[in-house]
Amino acid sequence: MSSEAKRKKMHRNNSAEGNAVREIGFWDKAVAAAVRLTCILIIHYNYAEQNKKDRSKDDSADCDRIKKTFGTCLNTRVRDTSGRSDEVLDLIGNEKEMRNIFNLNGDQKPELFMVFIMTHGGSDGLLKTHHGDQFYVSNVLEHLQRNASLGDALKLLVVSACRGNIQEEVLYRREEMPFDVQGVILSSQLDIKTFQNLNATQIKSVPGMENIVILSSCVESTTSPRAGGTFLIQSFCNAFERLERDVDLEEFLTRVLQLHDEKNKKYGYGSTPEYKVVKHRRLTFSRQSFDGKGCKEEEGSYSWLSDVQTPLLKRDAHVYLNSACHSTRETVNLIKKDLRKIFNFDVKNHGNLEQLQSSVGDQDGEKAGCIFMLIVTTLSMNVTTGELCVLINGETMPMKSVMNTMIGPTTANWIGKPKICVFLNTSAVTDTLDIDAARKYSRTKYTVSGTIHSGLLTLILPQSDAPNLFLETLKDVAATMKIESGTFQQFFHEVLQKASTANDILPMIVSTLPRSLEMKFPKPIVTDSFRMMTPKGTFIVSLTDLERLVSMAGAIKIWSNAQAEGTFAIDAMPREGSKGANPMTQIDEPSNTEVEVMTVESEENEAEEQVTEYSVFLVVAEAGSGKSHLAAHLAKFAQNRRLVTLLNEPDWSKGFKALHEEYLNNQPFGTYQVFFLDAIEALDEELLEKVLRMVQYLAENMVDLWIFTRPEGEARLRGLFPVTVIKINDLSMEIKKEFLQQSGFNDAKIEKVLRRIGMEHAGDLVSKVGNLEKVSSFQELADPESINIYELCTHIFQEAVDSYMEERYASFTKTRRETLMDNIKKNHSKRASIYFKEDQDINANETCTGYDVIHVANTMAAYLFVKNDKVKSIDQIDEMKIEAGKKSCLKRMIDSKKVFHQMLCSY
């Protein structure tokens, strides 16, 4: 039996017997390399009966929680002390003392050494004791490095103590503080000259510090909260106890920050926890939850939505390259190219700190969902303070001078949003903004609640070839498809492991970002309105409604019962943690309504009864409507609650074969499972037949199924099993404007663009999110009056083909890609011919071979028809036996093509 199998068997046995013993983790992603010995030291001071300093209740809660959480882990020893500062430091740094307190025999040495410190504190890492003396975090680090028994151990230092007197508030969440604020400075009342806040983003390096991770309850100059224990310790233990799977250290730390952030939002105040990581042995914490009670994966990914669910589509990147660094200019240009291509950042270059600060704080920045700052210059360290510095325009200044441009009160744009900052080394502090009064933090539809210091994710690479290391690792991550499932935190940790120390500066990561930031930036679900068609009627439903449906097993049965009671609302369905929602709207159906009501006919009453109890959800929409993004979004949402299978690639035979094997082997599929099948019309007929047989089997066993297809596949599927049809509505004018706003256009420009397209009777080009996304990248939008519809269609079609090829066939040879591209274009031309019924040998209802990358109808059909010279003149169009509306569409496209060619000739 393998080590992995033994470990899982041991866990199953422990769970079945109610045994709480479990291992803490393993090394280097190898399950067999379990952590052989963990020593945990709790250093705490309760200040009992010392008036306002008394923290005995919280101290007791923290100590008990740590012992309960880790005390029963395999090969783990927990000790605590409240000794004087010299005693504590001697215990940490003296090998004999440490071996004695932890009962280490012979050559026993801890592989993981965790230190928890809970006390009152102050600036620069000051830690106070209730004996009246004090020590510093730097003293702890020095003594940890001094202890020979800890030489090879990963040292995890968790410090819960105040670091100043700034009280963090969750801005946009609470209007007033719930306690006496005397003696503290509220973060909402800071101005840019408040000196205490200048150090909130400072980064220091300790030469020789290796294999150490530091997690602090707050950033420099701020307070640390308590409520039934300190926020940090309770969050740390909670994150560990709730591990539903094995989790690497970087993800675990982000989960701790997330749980801490949730506490902040619960109370409306709190702190911004921060972790600092240098090169270390890779640790993975083992799954701890086996009883099903804590098995829900943390909803820890950044959502790209504001507090009021406005999509935050825009991404800003700001780059500063030291003008003297000629040798790295080409590498930096390649990094900027990847920022645009891979992550869709709007990249801006800056020559000095003033430009950088002004651009980061620009009012349009509030519409963005993420900011990336790349600083490529000489890095250095202040040997007196240990603070890291950068060379900007010939002047050496602290890194905090750059990082403070992204936080409040310098700007309010980025509160609650990810702020990525990368400092790459190559071979008089400037003026700051003059904000005397406290900044006003006003809610808008783009705001995300959070503290002013949260959201920073910083990578520092001090070696001279840092730009090359960063670029090479990024390209490696992209080539190995890690971007598809990886996070920026994981990427930065991968870079960190390859980095090296230079000039006593350690490569490091510093983070206050409380959410995982996925490298594959999602395209938000812009359409939030859907029609659900059931035997009971047709309803307008929202994205939130669909999210709730995918979260529950047997959702359609529960919903049918609610309908029978006359509630007609998804909100009637029981769900965990429900806070209520607006009920669905039922559409009245007069005889002239355009809303199609889908019913599933049946000759037997038993079959009709089945419809009310079970139904396959069938999402039907044209190409470019956002089906695939919706499928991925719903699958990801359900993943936190259920076992999800998502098959969403045209070449999905690998995933299908694995699932088909389970089906053939009669593996039971439970009601806790949900299957999402996307783009099944892309399958060849033989494979499609197998898929449909399997789907029928799953439907017969009432397994929850969501199938995403185009209209041509709807009739075939509806005949196989009971269905509930969901159709994606066209974009409303409000959503179109909002989308273009997020793409960087101002309101006046948007009005002109949409009006111009409307005047050309081409509104269908912006009715689907897929097309609208491509329209937003059309360069000629800069001058709306000059928009040529033929040219716009050319851009939309080519973008659709290119993105499809890049997404699915990037690894193919150039020759094979060209062949595929030609076939795609021919297929779409054939679609246009079918639309206008010009090819007499083509049946109007015939299904073309190949997969459509864009919906061919109306304006797009006219473009493809005219482009391929199927018709060349108005006279030819008049002779065609087609509807008057289609003739008008073709005539407009003929005119537009002529104007476009005249424009080309004039250049």
Side-chain angles (χ1 to χ4, degrees):
M1 184 181 292
S2 68
S3 299
E4 166 71 1
K6 289 178 180 178
R7 186 175 74 87
K8 290 184 176 180
K9 182 178 180 181
M10 179 191 71
H11 279 313
R12 286 195 296 269
N13 291 340
N14 288 341
S15 178
E17 297 168 7
N19 191 344
V21 177
R22 53 204 181 276
E23 60 193 32
I24 204 165
F26 51 89
W27 300 111
D28 305 318
K29 297 185 178 295
V31 176
V35 178
R36 290 179 293 183
L37 178 60
T38 300
C39 292
I40 298 176
L41 179 62
I42 306 171
I43 304 170
H44 62 109
Y45 301 96
N46 59 27
Y47 285 82
E49 300 180 2
Q50 293 191 29
N51 299 324
K52 291 185 177 182
K53 290 186 177 182
D54 191 331
R55 58 189 311 280
S56 54
K57 290 183 179 180
D58 297 304
D59 184 70
S60 177
D62 281 345
C63 290
D64 291 345
R65 186 69 185 278
I66 295 171
K67 293 174 182 177
K68 176 184 176 183
T69 301
F70 296 99
T72 56
C73 289
L74 288 171
N75 304 316
T76 300
R77 303 175 188 182
V78 183
R79 305 290 187 268
D80 70 286
T81 179
S82 298
R84 299 181 63 86
S85 60
D86 56 344
E87 297 171 343
V88 168
L89 294 176
D90 191 46
L91 171 58
I92 293 172
N94 187 302
E95 182 178 9
K96 183 178 179 181
E97 288 290 333
M98 191 201 71
R99 297 184 67 83
N100 181 53
I101 194 173
F102 284 103
N103 300 322
L104 302 179
N105 300 316
D107 60 352
Q108 276 188 320
K109 293 181 180 180
E111 292 186 337
L112 175 61
F113 190 67
M114 299 170 64
V115 181
F116 292 89
I117 303 177
M118 297 92 73
T119 187
H120 291 299
S123 60
D124 295 321
L126 174 66
L127 301 170
K128 302 175 183 179
T129 82
H130 55 214
H131 303 293
D133 55 352
Q134 61 190 36
F135 57 109
Y136 289 84
V137 171
S138 58
N139 300 141
V140 176
L141 296 175
E142 291 167 8
H143 283 74
L144 286 173
Q145 293 295 94
R146 188 181 301 172
N147 193 323
S149 289
L150 301 177
D152 297 325
L154 171 61
K155 296 163 276 289
L156 178 54
L157 178 59
V158 182
V159 183
S160 184
C162 292
R163 300 172 69 180
N165 66 339
I166 296 175
Q167 174 60 62
E168 295 260 42
E169 303 160 85
V170 180
L171 299 177
Y172 314 123
R173 184 59 68 103
R174 181 184 288 276
E175 298 297 332
E176 296 180 358
M177 295 301 290
F179 55 81
D180 184 2
V181 295
Q182 290 185 354
V184 300
I185 304 172
L186 296 181
S187 60
S188 62
Q189 297 176 6
L190 295 172
D191 62 54
I192 203 161
K193 294 181 180 178
T194 306
F195 72 91
Q196 290 95 331
N197 192 50
L198 299 180
N199 288 329
T201 57
Q202 75 173 5
I203 298 177
K204 293 185 177 182
S205 181
V206 179
M209 185 178 76
E210 295 180 356
N211 220 11
I212 288 180
V213 175
I214 305 171
L215 175 62
S216 302
S217 61
C218 56
V219 297
E220 183 67 21
S221 304
T222 64
T223 62
S224 179
R226 308 191 306 269
T230 60
F231 282 19
L232 180 65
I233 301 302
Q234 299 298 314
S235 298
F236 190 97
C237 294
N238 199 13
F240 185 77
E241 292 169 358
R242 290 169 59 175
L243 290 177
E244 79 296 336
R245 58 178 172 81
D246 300 337
V247 168
D248 290 342
L249 178 61
E250 62 267 20
E251 181 179 347
F252 176 77
L253 293 173
T254 301
R255 289 189 179 199
V256 175
L257 266 57
Q258 180 208 344
L259 292 174
H260 193 293
D261 182 62
E262 290 174 0
K263 283 184 176 289
N264 287 348
K265 290 177 178 176
K266 174 183 177 181
Y267 290 98
Y269 67 93
S271 67
T272 303
E274 171 188 73
Y275 70 76
K276 179 186 292 185
V277 178
V278 297
K279 288 184 71 170
H280 61 280
R281 190 176 183 187
R282 302 298 294 269
L283 172 67
T284 300
F285 284 111
S286 295
R287 174 182 177 183
Q288 301 297 311
S289 176
F290 290 88
D291 56 8
K293 294 180 180 178
C295 278
K296 293 180 180 177
E297 185 170 350
E298 302 300 327
E299 297 174 36
S301 297
Y302 179 58
S303 68
W304 296 96
L305 296 171
S306 72
D307 284 348
V308 295
Q309 303 300 294
T310 299
L312 302 170
L313 310 185
K314 193 168 177 284
R315 291 119 192 193
D316 288 349
H318 301 271
V319 178
Y320 172 82
L321 170 64
N322 189 327
S323 58
C325 303
H326 302 293
S327 60
T328 60
R329 187 173 301 279
E330 183 177 348
T331 301
V332 173
N333 286 337
L334 291 173
I335 295 175
K336 291 190 293 185
K337 181 180 178 181
D338 282 348
L339 288 176
R340 293 188 185 98
K341 181 180 178 181
I342 300 175
F343 305 111
N344 199 28
F345 275 108
D346 179 13
V347 181
K348 299 177 182 177
N349 299 308
H350 303 287
N352 53 52
L353 185 62
E354 295 93 332
Q355 286 182 8
L356 184 69
Q357 190 175 45
S358 175
S359 186
V360 168
D362 189 280
Q363 190 60 38
D364 276 346
E366 74 159 353
K367 300 175 183 177
C370 176
I371 182 174
F372 189 108
M373 189 179 291
L374 176 65
I375 308 297
V376 185
T377 186
T378 302
L379 308 187
S380 60
M381 182 179 66
N382 185 314
V383 293
T384 303
T385 65
E387 190 166 0
L388 298 186
C389 302
V390 292
L391 183 67
I392 304 285
N393 278 75
E395 296 187 46
T396 299
M397 62 185 69
M399 281 185 180
K400 64 189 178 187
S401 299
V402 177
M403 297 175 67
N404 278 339
T405 63
M406 296 189 288
I407 66 169
T410 308
T411 178
N413 289 348
W414 307 106
I415 291 173
K417 303 173 185 178
K419 299 171 277 289
I420 306 171
C421 200
V422 177
F423 292 94
L424 305 180
N425 187 38
T426 61
S427 82
V429 180
T430 54
D431 293 334
T432 56
L433 294 178
D434 186 15
I435 306 176
D436 293 327
R439 175 176 290 279
K440 300 296 183 183
Y441 296 95
S442 303
R443 289 186 183 90
T444 73
K445 65 180 181 179
Y446 306 110
T447 54
V448 180
S449 57
T451 64
I452 64 172
H453 301 120
S454 67
L456 284 165
L457 177 61
T458 304
L459 173 67
I460 299 167
L461 301 180
Q463 60 199 74
S464 59
D465 64 341
N468 288 324
L469 172 63
F470 185 86
L471 179 62
E472 289 169 5
T473 310
L474 179 59
K475 289 192 175 299
D476 178 60
V477 166
T480 55
M481 301 302 288
K482 292 180 182 178
I483 284 179
E484 297 298 312
S485 58
T487 67
F488 268 95
Q489 287 94 335
Q490 291 169 338
F491 168 57
F492 280 10
H493 277 258
E494 191 162 328
V495 178
L496 184 69
Q497 296 303 108
K498 300 177 182 178
S500 57
T501 301
N503 300 321
D504 285 335
I505 302 175
L506 296 168
M508 70 177 73
I509 298 168
V510 182
S511 178
T512 63
L513 178 57
R515 292 289 185 277
S516 294
L517 184 60
E518 296 177 349
M519 294 194 77
K520 185 176 181 180
F521 287 176
K523 296 177 181 178
I525 307 300
V526 177
T527 303
D528 192 38
S529 178
F530 309 85
R531 283 178 293 161
M532 180 180 287
M533 302 163 191
T534 77
K536 296 289 186 179
T538 300
F539 304 85
I540 295 294
V541 297
S542 69
L543 180 61
T544 303
D545 294 325
L546 299 187
E547 289 171 343
R548 288 171 180 156
L549 279 173
V550 301
S551 301
M552 296 171 292
I556 192 68
K557 180 176 180 179
I558 301 171
W559 183 45
S560 295
N561 292 339
Q563 287 180 308
E565 296 169 5
T567 56
F568 296 104
I570 288 181
D571 195 50
M573 294 187 292
R575 59 185 180 279
E576 184 178 347
S578 173
K579 295 182 180 180
N582 294 326
M584 292 189 305
T585 303
Q586 185 174 17
I587 302 174
D588 294 328
E589 297 160 358
S591 57
N592 61 346
T593 182
E594 295 182 0
V595 176
E596 182 182 7
V597 181
M598 291 292 177
T599 58
V600 182
E601 298 180 0
S602 174
E603 297 179 357
E604 298 181 12
N605 293 334
E606 182 180 349
E608 289 193 3
E609 179 64 24
Q610 186 185 23
V611 172
T612 64
E613 292 189 349
Y614 174 82
S615 179
V616 173
F617 288 98
L618 192 62
V619 180
V620 181
E622 303 285 359
S625 298
K627 290 189 309 299
S628 295
H629 297 313
L630 178 63
H633 174 84
L634 293 177
K636 182 178 177 182
F637 189 88
Q639 234 168 10
N640 297 319
R641 299 158 180 82
R642 308 176 65 185
L643 183 60
V644 169
T645 298
L646 170 63
L647 297 180
N648 64 345
E649 292 293 333
D651 183 18
W652 62 352
S653 56
K654 182 179 179 181
F656 165 73
K657 284 176 181 176
L659 185 63
H660 195 244
E661 264 183 44
E662 292 185 62
Y663 156 60
L664 293 176
N665 293 329
N666 294 315
Q667 294 295 320
F669 294 103
T671 57
Y672 59 91
Q673 291 179 275
V674 57
F675 292 81
F676 295 88
L677 309 180
D678 181 31
I680 63 171
E681 65 274 10
L683 301 175
D684 61 58
E685 187 61 29
E686 181 181 355
L687 186 54
L688 180 59
E689 284 293 334
K690 292 181 179 179
V691 171
L692 294 181
R693 283 199 298 272
M694 183 191 68
V695 169
Q696 279 184 289
Y697 164 78
L698 295 174
E700 288 168 4
N701 286 273
M702 295 192 177
V703 175
D704 282 355
L705 287 164
W706 288 70
I707 300 177
F708 296 75
T709 186
R710 294 178 181 176
E712 55 265 29
E714 180 183 341
R716 183 172 187 177
L717 293 169
R718 288 183 59 225
L720 298 176
F721 31 69
V723 297
T724 293
V725 176
I726 298 171
K727 295 199 172 183
I728 301 176
N729 291 332
D730 285 347
L731 301 179
S732 66
M733 183 59 71
E734 181 182 358
I735 291 292
K736 292 175 189 176
K737 290 180 178 179
E738 198 167 81
F739 185 98
L740 292 173
Q741 283 175 342
Q742 295 297 313
S743 299
F745 297 96
N746 59 43
D747 292 342
K749 180 69 65 66
I750 291 169
E751 291 285 351
K752 291 179 181 178
V753 168
L754 295 179
R755 183 170 63 248
R756 173 66 178 173
I757 293 175
M759 288 172 59
E760 295 293 327
H761 303 280
D764 55 298
L765 292 181
V766 291
S767 64
K768 312 289 185 189
V769 64
N771 283 357
L772 185 61
E773 182 182 29
K774 295 167 182 62
V775 168
S776 68
S777 63
F778 184 49
Q779 290 186 352
E780 299 304 319
L781 293 189
D783 182 11
E785 297 305 319
S786 68
I787 293 175
N788 178 276
I789 297 302
Y790 183 87
E791 183 182 15
L792 178 58
C793 286
T794 302
H795 171 80
I796 293 172
F797 182 68
Q798 191 59 50
E799 284 285 304
V801 174
D802 289 345
S803 61
Y804 177 80
M805 295 296 296
E806 182 67 28
E807 185 175 342
R808 290 166 170 80
Y809 305 114
S811 62
F812 281 26
T813 63
K814 181 180 179 182
T815 301
R816 192 174 178 190
R817 282 169 57 89
E818 289 175 349
T819 300
L820 283 168
M821 194 173 295
D822 286 342
N823 289 338
I824 289 171
K825 291 180 178 179
K826 288 177 182 177
N827 181 64
H828 286 74
S829 295
K830 188 175 180 181
R831 288 280 187 199
S833 294
I834 292 174
Y835 182 80
F836 290 108
K837 301 179 184 178
E838 270 299 290
D839 287 359
Q840 300 302 315
D841 59 331
I842 298 177
N843 185 291
N845 296 318
E846 180 182 342
T847 300
C848 293
T849 58
Y851 187 74
D852 290 354
V853 302
I854 197 167
H855 180 47
V856 180
N858 303 322
T859 307
M860 185 54 65
Y863 161 73
L864 291 169
F865 202 70
V866 170
K867 175 181 180 294
N868 292 289
D869 293 330
K870 293 289 185 179
V871 62
K872 297 182 179 181
S873 68
I874 301 297
D875 291 340
Q876 282 182 280
I877 295 173
D878 286 334
E879 293 174 2
M880 293 173 66
K881 297 179 180 180
I882 57 175
E883 296 94 326
K886 290 185 177 181
K887 286 186 177 182
S888 297
C889 192
L890 284 172
K891 289 177 180 179
R892 288 193 295 270
M893 191 58 65
I894 285 279
D895 291 340
S896 185
K897 181 179 181 180
K898 288 179 180 177
V899 172
F900 176 62
H901 284 163
Q902 289 171 0
M903 289 166 52
L904 292 179
C905 293
S906 65
Y907 290 146

